[in-house]
Amino acid sequence: MTAEYDALARLTAERYGPRSQALVFVLTEELIRLRTVLAGDPGAMVIAARVDRLRVAIQDLYRVSGFPALPSPSSRVVSESPLVIEFDRDRFEERYAAAVPVVSPRLVEVSGPLLGPLRAGVPYMFVIDDRGTLVVWNRAFRLRDLVFGRATAMAAGVRVAHPLLVPQRLMAQAAGEIVFVGEPRVCAVVANTKSGHFRPPPATRDTIRRVCSTVLELDRRDVDVFTLELPDTGDGHDRRS
């Protein structure tokens, strides 16, 4: 299987470029498949080593393949410890409130390692709210949407966005997309911080790892989080974390 992915990755890099989002997709797909294999055979050291290399390669590509963590004009940091980001209430009421009655019944608060109504191996939108609750919208996307951008998901004529997962308080410690590996019990997680509305900074990687490892009863090494990177400010300071 790894040889097939090596060949596919080479072809993808040659056709679309070594920093392309297409290559991110190929590597992410392999990571999820290997995570699934490793869940069934935790002692497979060769697979574990491959997983480690993929994690590094994918994060490096996130830094250079067009996923900037630019500030959002519609959100603001309201707490530094823990970091909490609030989406603008007026903006929410204007753009998204009409979809609340449709989206809210499909929100799942993940409180344990059993998937329940969710499925393994497919991406979902998620938010970790200001109280540390992992909230998932139970609408699965295709795996390729994890990289190339979610296909438009409409509710009541509104494009669904992360603030709709926390409509009452509009606050998040982290947000993005998540894939659960293993069922009915989750064995690993692959997530990112791609939220155009909350724009969580790279440091929220630790928040996602902490919450997922606690709620899903996982070792933090089994929670892969890929972060969007802050742009270079040109002042000599590294804004990444």
Side-chain angles (χ1 to χ4, degrees), residues 2 56 93 107 114 181 223:
T2 56
V56 173
E93 294 296 333
L107 297 180
L114 298 181
V181 177
V223 181

Side-chain angles (χ1 to χ4, degrees), residues 188-201:
V189 163
V190 176
N192 64 44
T193 58
K194 291 173 64 178
S195 169
H197 292 75
F198 286 112
R199 306 282 177 93

Side-chain angles (χ1 to χ4, degrees), residues 2-26:
T2 56
E4 294 175 1
Y5 273 107
D6 282 340
L8 181 58
R10 284 195 298 270
L11 289 173
T12 301
E14 290 173 2
R15 181 169 183 178
Y16 298 103
R19 298 181 175 183
S20 66
Q21 294 184 33
L23 184 57
V24 178
F25 167 65
V26 171

